[in-house]
Amino acid sequence: MPTASTYWYTNTGTVLWWEIARIAYTAIMMLTGYASFYIAFISIPFIYLLMGLTLQALYTFGWVIELGILRQKSYEKRKNFRIVYYLVYLSLSVFIVFGFSLSILL
């Protein structure tokens, strides 16, 4: 039986952690999408819908990688992976969305 501190590193806890973090990711990306939409004044929101769905699908690889590849690693390495992967992926996602709208302006 896992303790409270190790529960987040069980299979269920891992998926739960990533899906709870997805709420913050989605909120940040929605704000980014709105800001990007108004920067470029794109009249085709389908592009943003497609980008959003693609980025959300790729987000899922966070817990897939953690459960598949990092399963045998220590808790500390898995904890570091979560934080680094989440922040890097969030930064790249914001860069992609803003980069798209800025490329239309140029």
CSV table of all heavy atoms in Angstrom, one decimal, residues 28-90:
chain,number,residue,atom,x,y,z
A,28,ILE,N,-3.8,28.1,-19.4
A,28,ILE,CA,-2.7,29.0,-19.9
A,28,ILE,C,-2.8,29.0,-21.4
A,28,ILE,O,-2.6,30.0,-22.1
A,28,ILE,CB,-1.3,28.5,-19.4
A,28,ILE,CG1,-1.2,28.7,-17.9
A,28,ILE,CG2,-0.2,29.2,-20.1
A,28,ILE,CD1,-0.1,28.0,-17.2
A,29,MET,N,-3.0,27.8,-22.0
A,29,MET,CA,-3.0,27.8,-23.5
A,29,MET,C,-4.2,28.5,-24.1
A,29,MET,O,-4.2,29.1,-25.2
A,29,MET,CB,-2.9,26.3,-24.0
A,29,MET,CG,-1.6,25.7,-23.7
A,29,MET,SD,-0.2,26.6,-24.3
A,29,MET,CE,-0.5,26.7,-26.1
A,30,MET,N,-5.4,28.5,-23.4
A,30,MET,CA,-6.5,29.2,-23.8
A,30,MET,C,-6.2,30.7,-23.8
A,30,MET,O,-6.6,31.4,-24.8
A,30,MET,CB,-7.7,28.9,-22.9
A,30,MET,CG,-8.3,27.6,-23.3
A,30,MET,SD,-9.7,27.1,-22.2
A,30,MET,CE,-10.8,28.4,-22.4
A,31,LEU,N,-5.6,31.2,-22.8
A,31,LEU,CA,-5.3,32.6,-22.7
A,31,LEU,C,-4.3,33.0,-23.8
A,31,LEU,O,-4.3,34.0,-24.4
A,31,LEU,CB,-4.7,33.0,-21.3
A,31,LEU,CG,-5.7,32.9,-20.2
A,31,LEU,CD1,-5.0,33.1,-18.8
A,31,LEU,CD2,-6.8,33.9,-20.4
A,32,THR,N,-3.3,32.1,-24.0
A,32,THR,CA,-2.3,32.3,-25.1
A,32,THR,C,-3.0,32.3,-26.4
A,32,THR,O,-2.7,33.2,-27.3
A,32,THR,CB,-1.3,31.2,-25.0
A,32,THR,OG1,-0.6,31.2,-23.8
A,32,THR,CG2,-0.2,31.4,-26.1
A,33,GLY,N,-3.9,31.4,-26.7
A,33,GLY,CA,-4.6,31.4,-27.9
A,33,GLY,C,-5.5,32.6,-28.2
A,33,GLY,O,-5.5,33.1,-29.3
A,34,TYR,N,-6.2,33.1,-27.1
A,34,TYR,CA,-6.9,34.3,-27.3
A,34,TYR,C,-6.0,35.5,-27.6
A,34,TYR,O,-6.3,36.3,-28.5
A,34,TYR,CB,-7.7,34.6,-26.0
A,34,TYR,CG,-8.9,33.7,-25.8
A,34,TYR,CD1,-9.2,33.2,-24.5
A,34,TYR,CD2,-9.7,33.3,-26.8
A,34,TYR,CE1,-10.2,32.3,-24.3
A,34,TYR,CE2,-10.8,32.5,-26.6
A,34,TYR,CZ,-11.1,32.0,-25.4
A,34,TYR,OH,-12.1,31.1,-25.1
A,35,ALA,N,-4.9,35.6,-26.9
A,35,ALA,CA,-4.0,36.7,-27.1
A,35,ALA,C,-3.4,36.6,-28.5
A,35,ALA,O,-3.3,37.6,-29.2
A,35,ALA,CB,-2.9,36.7,-26.1
A,36,SER,N,-3.1,35.4,-28.9
A,36,SER,CA,-2.5,35.2,-30.3
A,36,SER,C,-3.5,35.5,-31.3
A,36,SER,O,-3.2,36.1,-32.4
A,36,SER,CB,-2.0,33.8,-30.4
A,36,SER,OG,-1.5,33.5,-31.7
A,37,PHE,N,-4.8,35.1,-31.1
A,37,PHE,CA,-5.8,35.4,-32.1
A,37,PHE,C,-6.0,36.9,-32.3
A,37,PHE,O,-6.2,37.3,-33.4
A,37,PHE,CB,-7.1,34.8,-31.5
A,37,PHE,CG,-8.3,35.0,-32.4
A,37,PHE,CD1,-8.5,34.1,-33.5
A,37,PHE,CD2,-9.3,35.9,-32.1
A,37,PHE,CE1,-9.6,34.3,-34.3
A,37,PHE,CE2,-10.4,36.1,-33.0
A,37,PHE,CZ,-10.5,35.3,-34.1
A,38,TYR,N,-5.9,37.7,-31.2
A,38,TYR,CA,-6.1,39.1,-31.3
A,38,TYR,C,-4.9,39.8,-31.9
A,38,TYR,O,-5.0,40.9,-32.4
A,38,TYR,CB,-6.6,39.7,-30.0
A,38,TYR,CG,-8.0,39.4,-29.7
A,38,TYR,CD1,-8.3,38.5,-28.7
A,38,TYR,CD2,-9.0,39.9,-30.5
A,38,TYR,CE1,-9.7,38.2,-28.5
A,38,TYR,CE2,-10.4,39.5,-30.3
A,38,TYR,CZ,-10.7,38.7,-29.3
A,38,TYR,OH,-12.0,38.3,-29.1
A,39,ILE,N,-3.7,39.2,-31.7
A,39,ILE,CA,-2.5,39.8,-32.3
A,39,ILE,C,-2.6,39.7,-33.8
A,39,ILE,O,-2.3,40.7,-34.5
A,39,ILE,CB,-1.2,39.1,-31.8
A,39,ILE,CG1,-1.0,39.5,-30.3
A,39,ILE,CG2,0.0,39.4,-32.6
A,39,ILE,CD1,0.1,38.7,-29.7
A,40,ALA,N,-2.9,38.6,-34.3
A,40,ALA,CA,-2.9,38.4,-35.8
A,40,ALA,C,-4.2,38.6,-36.5
A,40,ALA,O,-4.3,38.7,-37.7
A,40,ALA,CB,-2.4,36.9,-36.1
A,41,PHE,N,-5.3,38.8,-35.7
A,41,PHE,CA,-6.6,39.0,-36.3
A,41,PHE,C,-7.0,37.9,-37.3
A,41,PHE,O,-7.4,38.2,-38.4
A,41,PHE,CB,-6.8,40.4,-36.9
A,41,PHE,CG,-6.6,41.4,-35.9
A,41,PHE,CD1,-5.5,42.2,-35.8
A,41,PHE,CD2,-7.6,41.7,-34.9
A,41,PHE,CE1,-5.3,43.2,-34.9
A,41,PHE,CE2,-7.4,42.7,-34.0
A,41,PHE,CZ,-6.3,43.4,-33.9
A,42,ILE,N,-6.7,36.7,-37.0
A,42,ILE,CA,-7.0,35.6,-37.9
A,42,ILE,C,-8.5,35.3,-37.9
A,42,ILE,O,-9.1,35.1,-36.8
A,42,ILE,CB,-6.2,34.3,-37.5
A,42,ILE,CG1,-4.7,34.6,-37.6
A,42,ILE,CG2,-6.6,33.1,-38.4
A,42,ILE,CD1,-3.8,33.5,-37.2
A,43,SER,N,-9.1,35.2,-39.1
A,43,SER,CA,-10.5,35.0,-39.1
A,43,SER,C,-10.8,33.5,-39.3
A,43,SER,O,-12.0,33.2,-39.6
A,43,SER,CB,-11.1,35.8,-40.3
A,43,SER,OG,-10.5,35.4,-41.5
A,44,ILE,N,-9.8,32.7,-39.2
A,44,ILE,CA,-10.1,31.2,-39.4
A,44,ILE,C,-9.7,30.6,-38.0
A,44,ILE,O,-8.6,30.1,-37.8
A,44,ILE,CB,-9.2,30.7,-40.5
A,44,ILE,CG1,-9.4,31.4,-41.8
A,44,ILE,CG2,-9.5,29.2,-40.7
A,44,ILE,CD1,-8.4,31.1,-42.9
A,45,PRO,N,-10.7,30.5,-37.1
A,45,PRO,CA,-10.4,29.9,-35.8
A,45,PRO,C,-10.1,28.4,-35.9
A,45,PRO,O,-9.6,27.8,-35.0
A,45,PRO,CB,-11.6,30.2,-35.0
A,45,PRO,CG,-12.7,30.5,-36.0
A,45,PRO,CD,-12.0,31.0,-37.2
A,46,PHE,N,-10.4,27.7,-37.1
A,46,PHE,CA,-10.1,26.3,-37.2
A,46,PHE,C,-8.6,26.0,-37.0
A,46,PHE,O,-8.3,25.0,-36.5
A,46,PHE,CB,-10.5,25.9,-38.6
A,46,PHE,CG,-10.2,24.4,-38.9
A,46,PHE,CD1,-11.0,23.4,-38.3
A,46,PHE,CD2,-9.2,24.1,-39.7
A,46,PHE,CE1,-10.7,22.1,-38.5
A,46,PHE,CE2,-8.9,22.7,-39.9
A,46,PHE,CZ,-9.6,21.7,-39.3
A,47,ILE,N,-7.8,26.9,-37.4
A,47,ILE,CA,-6.3,26.7,-37.2
A,47,ILE,C,-6.0,26.6,-35.7
A,47,ILE,O,-5.2,25.8,-35.3
A,47,ILE,CB,-5.6,27.9,-37.9
A,47,ILE,CG1,-5.8,27.8,-39.4
A,47,ILE,CG2,-4.1,27.8,-37.5
A,47,ILE,CD1,-5.3,29.0,-40.1
A,48,TYR,N,-6.6,27.5,-34.9
A,48,TYR,CA,-6.4,27.4,-33.5
A,48,TYR,C,-7.0,26.2,-32.8
A,48,TYR,O,-6.4,25.6,-31.9
A,48,TYR,CB,-6.9,28.7,-32.8
A,48,TYR,CG,-6.0,29.9,-33.0
A,48,TYR,CD1,-6.3,30.8,-34.0
A,48,TYR,CD2,-4.8,30.0,-32.3
A,48,TYR,CE1,-5.5,31.9,-34.3
A,48,TYR,CE2,-4.0,31.1,-32.6
A,48,TYR,CZ,-4.3,32.0,-33.5
A,48,TYR,OH,-3.5,33.1,-33.8
A,49,LEU,N,-8.1,25.8,-33.3
A,49,LEU,CA,-8.7,24.5,-32.8
A,49,LEU,C,-7.8,23.3,-33.2
A,49,LEU,O,-7.6,22.5,-32.3
A,49,LEU,CB,-10.1,24.3,-33.5
A,49,LEU,CG,-10.8,23.1,-33.0
A,49,LEU,CD1,-11.1,23.1,-31.6
A,49,LEU,CD2,-12.1,23.0,-33.8
A,50,LEU,N,-7.3,23.3,-34.4
A,50,LEU,CA,-6.4,22.2,-34.8
A,50,LEU,C,-5.1,22.2,-34.0
A,50,LEU,O,-4.6,21.2,-33.5
A,50,LEU,CB,-6.1,22.4,-36.3
A,50,LEU,CG,-5.2,21.2,-36.9
A,50,LEU,CD1,-6.0,19.9,-36.8
A,50,LEU,CD2,-4.9,21.6,-38.3
A,51,MET,N,-4.5,23.4,-33.7
A,51,MET,CA,-3.3,23.5,-32.9
A,51,MET,C,-3.6,23.1,-31.5
A,51,MET,O,-2.8,22.4,-30.9
A,51,MET,CB,-2.8,25.0,-32.9
A,51,MET,CG,-1.8,25.3,-34.0
A,51,MET,SD,-0.9,26.8,-33.7
A,51,MET,CE,-2.1,28.0,-33.6
A,52,GLY,N,-4.7,23.5,-30.9
A,52,GLY,CA,-5.1,23.2,-29.6
A,52,GLY,C,-5.2,21.7,-29.4
A,52,GLY,O,-4.7,21.1,-28.4
A,53,LEU,N,-5.9,21.0,-30.3
A,53,LEU,CA,-6.2,19.6,-30.2
A,53,LEU,C,-4.8,18.8,-30.4
A,53,LEU,O,-4.6,17.8,-29.7
A,53,LEU,CB,-7.2,19.1,-31.3
A,53,LEU,CG,-8.6,19.6,-31.1
A,53,LEU,CD1,-9.5,19.2,-32.2
A,53,LEU,CD2,-9.2,19.0,-29.8
A,54,THR,N,-4.0,19.3,-31.3
A,54,THR,CA,-2.7,18.6,-31.5
A,54,THR,C,-1.8,18.8,-30.2
A,54,THR,O,-1.2,17.8,-29.8
A,54,THR,CB,-2.0,19.2,-32.7
A,54,THR,OG1,-2.8,19.1,-33.8
A,54,THR,CG2,-0.7,18.5,-33.0
A,55,LEU,N,-1.7,20.0,-29.7
A,55,LEU,CA,-0.9,20.2,-28.5
A,55,LEU,C,-1.5,19.4,-27.3
A,55,LEU,O,-0.7,18.8,-26.5
A,55,LEU,CB,-0.8,21.7,-28.2
A,55,LEU,CG,0.0,22.5,-29.2
A,55,LEU,CD1,-0.1,24.0,-28.9
A,55,LEU,CD2,1.5,22.1,-29.1
A,56,GLN,N,-2.8,19.3,-27.2
A,56,GLN,CA,-3.4,18.5,-26.1
A,56,GLN,C,-3.0,17.0,-26.3
A,56,GLN,O,-2.8,16.3,-25.3
A,56,GLN,CB,-4.9,18.7,-26.0
A,56,GLN,CG,-5.3,20.0,-25.5
A,56,GLN,CD,-5.0,20.1,-24.0
A,56,GLN,OE1,-4.9,19.2,-23.2
A,56,GLN,NE2,-5.0,21.4,-23.5
A,57,ALA,N,-3.1,16.5,-27.5
A,57,ALA,CA,-2.8,15.1,-27.7
A,57,ALA,C,-1.3,14.8,-27.4
A,57,ALA,O,-1.0,13.8,-26.8
A,57,ALA,CB,-3.1,14.8,-29.2
A,58,LEU,N,-0.4,15.8,-27.8
A,58,LEU,CA,1.0,15.6,-27.5
A,58,LEU,C,1.3,15.7,-26.0
A,58,LEU,O,2.2,15.1,-25.5
A,58,LEU,CB,1.8,16.6,-28.2
A,58,LEU,CG,1.9,16.4,-29.8
A,58,LEU,CD1,2.6,17.6,-30.4
A,58,LEU,CD2,2.5,15.1,-30.1
A,59,TYR,N,0.5,16.5,-25.3
A,59,TYR,CA,0.6,16.6,-23.8
A,59,TYR,C,0.5,15.2,-23.1
A,59,TYR,O,1.2,14.9,-22.2
A,59,TYR,CB,-0.4,17.5,-23.3
A,59,TYR,CG,-0.4,17.7,-21.8
A,59,TYR,CD1,0.4,18.7,-21.2
A,59,TYR,CD2,-1.1,16.8,-20.9
A,59,TYR,CE1,0.4,18.8,-19.8
A,59,TYR,CE2,-1.1,17.0,-19.6
A,59,TYR,CZ,-0.3,17.9,-19.0
A,59,TYR,OH,-0.2,18.1,-17.6
A,60,THR,N,-0.3,14.4,-23.7
A,60,THR,CA,-0.5,13.0,-23.1
A,60,THR,C,0.8,12.2,-23.0
A,60,THR,O,0.9,11.3,-22.2
A,60,THR,CB,-1.6,12.3,-23.9
A,60,THR,OG1,-2.8,13.1,-24.0
A,60,THR,CG2,-1.9,11.0,-23.3
A,61,PHE,N,1.7,12.5,-23.9
A,61,PHE,CA,3.0,11.7,-23.9
A,61,PHE,C,3.7,11.9,-22.6
A,61,PHE,O,4.6,11.1,-22.3
A,61,PHE,CB,3.8,12.1,-25.1
A,61,PHE,CG,3.4,11.5,-26.4
A,61,PHE,CD1,2.8,12.2,-27.4
A,61,PHE,CD2,3.5,10.1,-26.6
A,61,PHE,CE1,2.4,11.6,-28.6
A,61,PHE,CE2,3.1,9.5,-27.7
A,61,PHE,CZ,2.5,10.3,-28.7
A,62,GLY,N,3.4,13.0,-21.8
A,62,GLY,CA,4.1,13.2,-20.6
A,62,GLY,C,4.0,12.0,-19.7
A,62,GLY,O,4.9,11.4,-19.2
A,63,TRP,N,2.7,11.6,-19.4
A,63,TRP,CA,2.5,10.4,-18.5
A,63,TRP,C,2.8,9.1,-19.2
A,63,TRP,O,3.2,8.1,-18.6
A,63,TRP,CB,1.2,10.5,-17.8
A,63,TRP,CG,-0.1,10.4,-18.7
A,63,TRP,CD1,-0.9,11.4,-19.1
A,63,TRP,CD2,-0.7,9.2,-19.1
A,63,TRP,NE1,-1.9,10.9,-19.8
A,63,TRP,CE2,-1.9,9.6,-19.8
A,63,TRP,CE3,-0.4,7.8,-19.0
A,63,TRP,CZ2,-2.7,8.7,-20.4
A,63,TRP,CZ3,-1.3,6.9,-19.6
A,63,TRP,CH2,-2.4,7.3,-20.3
A,64,VAL,N,2.7,9.1,-20.5
A,64,VAL,CA,3.0,7.8,-21.3
A,64,VAL,C,4.5,7.6,-21.1
A,64,VAL,O,4.9,6.5,-20.8
A,64,VAL,CB,2.6,7.9,-22.7
A,64,VAL,CG1,3.2,6.8,-23.5
A,64,VAL,CG2,1.1,8.0,-22.9
A,65,ILE,N,5.3,8.6,-21.3
A,65,ILE,CA,6.8,8.5,-21.1
A,65,ILE,C,7.1,8.1,-19.7
A,65,ILE,O,7.9,7.2,-19.5
A,65,ILE,CB,7.5,9.8,-21.6
A,65,ILE,CG1,7.4,10.0,-23.1
A,65,ILE,CG2,9.0,9.8,-21.1
A,65,ILE,CD1,7.8,11.4,-23.5
A,66,GLU,N,6.5,8.8,-18.8
A,66,GLU,CA,6.8,8.5,-17.4
A,66,GLU,C,6.5,7.1,-17.0
A,66,GLU,O,7.2,6.4,-16.3
A,66,GLU,CB,6.1,9.5,-16.4
A,66,GLU,CG,6.5,9.3,-15.0
A,66,GLU,CD,5.9,10.4,-14.1
A,66,GLU,OE1,5.4,11.4,-14.5
A,66,GLU,OE2,6.0,10.1,-12.9
A,67,LEU,N,5.3,6.6,-17.4
A,67,LEU,CA,4.9,5.2,-17.1
A,67,LEU,C,5.7,4.2,-17.9
A,67,LEU,O,6.0,3.1,-17.3
A,67,LEU,CB,3.4,5.0,-17.3
A,67,LEU,CG,2.5,5.7,-16.3
A,67,LEU,CD1,1.1,5.5,-16.7
A,67,LEU,CD2,2.8,5.3,-14.9
A,68,GLY,N,6.0,4.5,-19.1
A,68,GLY,CA,6.7,3.5,-19.9
A,68,GLY,C,8.2,3.5,-19.8
A,68,GLY,O,8.8,2.4,-19.7
A,69,ILE,N,8.8,4.6,-19.8
A,69,ILE,CA,10.3,4.7,-19.8
A,69,ILE,C,10.9,4.9,-18.4
A,69,ILE,O,11.9,4.2,-18.0
A,69,ILE,CB,10.8,5.8,-20.7
A,69,ILE,CG1,10.3,5.5,-22.2
A,69,ILE,CG2,12.3,6.0,-20.7
A,69,ILE,CD1,10.6,6.6,-23.1
A,70,LEU,N,10.3,5.7,-17.6
A,70,LEU,CA,10.9,6.1,-16.3
A,70,LEU,C,10.3,5.2,-15.2
A,70,LEU,O,10.6,5.6,-14.0
A,70,LEU,CB,10.6,7.6,-16.0
A,70,LEU,CG,11.2,8.5,-17.1
A,70,LEU,CD1,10.8,9.9,-16.7
A,70,LEU,CD2,12.7,8.4,-17.1
A,71,ARG,N,9.6,4.2,-15.5
A,71,ARG,CA,9.0,3.4,-14.4
A,71,ARG,C,10.0,2.9,-13.4
A,71,ARG,O,9.7,2.8,-12.2
A,71,ARG,CB,8.3,2.2,-15.1
A,71,ARG,CG,7.6,1.3,-14.1
A,71,ARG,CD,6.9,0.2,-14.8
A,71,ARG,NE,5.6,0.1,-14.0
A,71,ARG,CZ,4.5,-0.1,-14.5
A,71,ARG,NH1,4.3,-0.3,-15.8
A,71,ARG,NH2,3.4,-0.2,-13.7
A,72,GLN,N,11.2,2.5,-13.8
A,72,GLN,CA,12.1,1.9,-12.9
A,72,GLN,C,13.0,3.0,-12.2
A,72,GLN,O,13.9,2.7,-11.4
A,72,GLN,CB,13.0,0.9,-13.6
A,72,GLN,CG,12.2,-0.2,-14.3
A,72,GLN,CD,11.3,-1.0,-13.3
A,72,GLN,OE1,11.7,-1.2,-12.2
A,72,GLN,NE2,10.2,-1.3,-13.7
A,73,LYS,N,12.9,4.2,-12.6
A,73,LYS,CA,13.7,5.3,-12.0
A,73,LYS,C,13.3,5.7,-10.6
A,73,LYS,O,12.2,5.3,-10.2
A,73,LYS,CB,13.7,6.6,-12.9
A,73,LYS,CG,14.1,6.3,-14.3
A,73,LYS,CD,15.6,6.0,-14.4
A,73,LYS,CE,16.0,5.9,-15.9
A,73,LYS,NZ,17.3,5.4,-16.0
A,74,SER,N,14.2,6.4,-9.9
A,74,SER,CA,13.8,6.7,-8.5
A,74,SER,C,12.8,7.8,-8.5
A,74,SER,O,12.5,8.5,-9.5
A,74,SER,CB,15.1,7.3,-7.9
A,74,SER,OG,15.5,8.5,-8.4
A,75,TYR,N,12.1,8.0,-7.4
A,75,TYR,CA,11.1,9.0,-7.2
A,75,TYR,C,11.6,10.4,-7.5
A,75,TYR,O,10.9,11.2,-8.2
A,75,TYR,CB,10.5,9.0,-5.8
A,75,TYR,CG,9.8,7.7,-5.5
A,75,TYR,CD1,10.0,7.1,-4.3
A,75,TYR,CD2,8.8,7.2,-6.3
A,75,TYR,CE1,9.4,5.9,-4.0
A,75,TYR,CE2,8.2,6.1,-6.0
A,75,TYR,CZ,8.4,5.4,-4.8
A,75,TYR,OH,7.7,4.3,-4.5
A,76,GLU,N,12.9,10.7,-7.1
A,76,GLU,CA,13.4,12.0,-7.4
A,76,GLU,C,13.6,12.3,-8.9
A,76,GLU,O,13.3,13.4,-9.3
A,76,GLU,CB,14.8,12.1,-6.7
A,76,GLU,CG,15.3,13.5,-6.5
A,76,GLU,CD,14.3,14.4,-5.7
A,76,GLU,OE1,13.7,13.9,-4.7
A,76,GLU,OE2,14.2,15.6,-6.1
A,77,LYS,N,14.1,11.3,-9.6
A,77,LYS,CA,14.2,11.5,-11.1
A,77,LYS,C,12.9,11.6,-11.7
A,77,LYS,O,12.7,12.4,-12.7
A,77,LYS,CB,15.0,10.3,-11.7
A,77,LYS,CG,16.4,10.3,-11.3
A,77,LYS,CD,17.2,9.2,-12.0
A,77,LYS,CE,18.6,9.3,-11.7
A,77,LYS,NZ,19.4,8.2,-12.3
A,78,ARG,N,11.9,10.9,-11.3
A,78,ARG,CA,10.5,11.0,-11.9
A,78,ARG,C,9.9,12.4,-11.5
A,78,ARG,O,9.3,13.0,-12.3
A,78,ARG,CB,9.6,9.9,-11.4
A,78,ARG,CG,10.0,8.6,-12.0
A,78,ARG,CD,9.1,7.5,-11.6
A,78,ARG,NE,7.8,7.6,-12.1
A,78,ARG,CZ,6.9,6.7,-11.9
A,78,ARG,NH1,7.1,5.6,-11.1
A,78,ARG,NH2,5.6,6.8,-12.3
A,79,LYS,N,10.2,12.8,-10.3
A,79,LYS,CA,9.7,14.2,-9.9
A,79,LYS,C,10.3,15.2,-10.7
A,79,LYS,O,9.6,16.2,-11.2
A,79,LYS,CB,10.0,14.4,-8.4
A,79,LYS,CG,9.5,15.7,-7.9
A,79,LYS,CD,9.9,15.8,-6.4
A,79,LYS,CE,9.6,17.2,-5.9
A,79,LYS,NZ,10.0,17.4,-4.5
A,80,ASN,N,11.6,15.2,-10.9
A,80,ASN,CA,12.3,16.1,-11.8
A,80,ASN,C,11.8,16.1,-13.2
A,80,ASN,O,11.7,17.1,-13.9
A,80,ASN,CB,13.8,15.9,-11.7
A,80,ASN,CG,14.4,16.3,-10.4
A,80,ASN,OD1,13.8,17.0,-9.6
A,80,ASN,ND2,15.6,15.7,-10.1
A,81,PHE,N,11.6,14.9,-13.7
A,81,PHE,CA,11.1,14.7,-15.1
A,81,PHE,C,9.8,15.4,-15.2
A,81,PHE,O,9.5,16.2,-16.2
A,81,PHE,CB,10.9,13.3,-15.5
A,81,PHE,CG,10.2,13.0,-16.7
A,81,PHE,CD1,10.8,13.2,-18.0
A,81,PHE,CD2,8.8,12.7,-16.7
A,81,PHE,CE1,10.1,13.1,-19.1
A,81,PHE,CE2,8.1,12.5,-17.9
A,81,PHE,CZ,8.7,12.7,-19.1
A,82,ARG,N,8.9,15.2,-14.3
A,82,ARG,CA,7.6,15.9,-14.4
A,82,ARG,C,7.7,17.4,-14.5
A,82,ARG,O,7.0,18.0,-15.3
A,82,ARG,CB,6.7,15.5,-13.1
A,82,ARG,CG,6.2,14.2,-13.1
A,82,ARG,CD,5.4,13.9,-11.9
A,82,ARG,NE,4.9,12.5,-11.9
A,82,ARG,CZ,4.2,12.0,-10.9
A,82,ARG,NH1,3.9,12.8,-9.9
A,82,ARG,NH2,3.8,10.8,-10.9
A,83,ILE,N,8.4,18.0,-13.6
A,83,ILE,CA,8.5,19.4,-13.5
A,83,ILE,C,9.2,20.0,-14.8
A,83,ILE,O,8.7,20.9,-15.4
A,83,ILE,CB,9.3,19.9,-12.3
A,83,ILE,CG1,8.5,19.5,-11.0
A,83,ILE,CG2,9.6,21.3,-12.3
A,83,ILE,CD1,9.2,19.6,-9.7
A,84,VAL,N,10.3,19.4,-15.2
A,84,VAL,CA,11.1,19.9,-16.3
A,84,VAL,C,10.2,19.7,-17.6
A,84,VAL,O,10.1,20.6,-18.4
A,84,VAL,CB,12.4,19.2,-16.4
A,84,VAL,CG1,13.1,19.5,-17.8
A,84,VAL,CG2,13.3,19.6,-15.3
A,85,TYR,N,9.7,18.5,-17.8
A,85,TYR,CA,8.9,18.2,-19.0
A,85,TYR,C,7.7,19.1,-19.1
A,85,TYR,O,7.4,19.7,-20.1
A,85,TYR,CB,8.4,16.7,-19.0
A,85,TYR,CG,7.7,16.3,-20.3
A,85,TYR,CD1,8.3,15.8,-21.4
A,85,TYR,CD2,6.3,16.5,-20.4
A,85,TYR,CE1,7.6,15.5,-22.5
A,85,TYR,CE2,5.6,16.2,-21.5
A,85,TYR,CZ,6.3,15.6,-22.6
A,85,TYR,OH,5.6,15.3,-23.7
A,86,TYR,N,7.0,19.3,-18.0
A,86,TYR,CA,5.8,20.2,-18.0
A,86,TYR,C,6.2,21.6,-18.3
A,86,TYR,O,5.5,22.2,-19.2
A,86,TYR,CB,5.1,20.1,-16.6
A,86,TYR,CG,3.9,21.0,-16.5
A,86,TYR,CD1,2.7,20.5,-17.0
A,86,TYR,CD2,3.9,22.2,-15.9
A,86,TYR,CE1,1.5,21.2,-16.9
A,86,TYR,CE2,2.8,23.0,-15.9
A,86,TYR,CZ,1.6,22.5,-16.4
A,86,TYR,OH,0.4,23.2,-16.3
A,87,LEU,N,7.2,22.2,-17.7
A,87,LEU,CA,7.6,23.5,-18.0
A,87,LEU,C,8.1,23.7,-19.4
A,87,LEU,O,7.8,24.7,-20.1
A,87,LEU,CB,8.6,24.0,-16.9
A,87,LEU,CG,8.0,24.2,-15.5
A,87,LEU,CD1,9.1,24.6,-14.6
A,87,LEU,CD2,6.9,25.2,-15.5
A,88,VAL,N,8.9,22.8,-19.9
A,88,VAL,CA,9.5,22.9,-21.2
A,88,VAL,C,8.4,22.8,-22.2
A,88,VAL,O,8.3,23.5,-23.2
A,88,VAL,CB,10.6,21.8,-21.5
A,88,VAL,CG1,11.0,21.7,-22.9
A,88,VAL,CG2,11.8,22.2,-20.6
A,89,TYR,N,7.5,21.8,-22.1
A,89,TYR,CA,6.4,21.6,-23.0
A,89,TYR,C,5.5,22.8,-23.0
A,89,TYR,O,5.0,23.3,-24.1
A,89,TYR,CB,5.6,20.3,-22.7
A,89,TYR,CG,4.6,20.0,-23.8
A,89,TYR,CD1,5.0,19.6,-25.0
A,89,TYR,CD2,3.3,20.3,-23.6
A,89,TYR,CE1,4.1,19.4,-26.0
A,89,TYR,CE2,2.3,20.0,-24.6
A,89,TYR,CZ,2.8,19.6,-25.8
A,89,TYR,OH,1.9,19.3,-26.8
A,90,LEU,N,5.2,23.4,-21.8
A,90,LEU,CA,4.3,24.6,-21.8
A,90,LEU,C,5.0,25.7,-22.5
A,90,LEU,O,4.3,26.4,-23.3
A,90,LEU,CB,4.1,24.9,-20.3
A,90,LEU,CG,3.2,26.2,-20.1
A,90,LEU,CD1,1.8,26.0,-20.6
A,90,LEU,CD2,3.2,26.5,-18.6
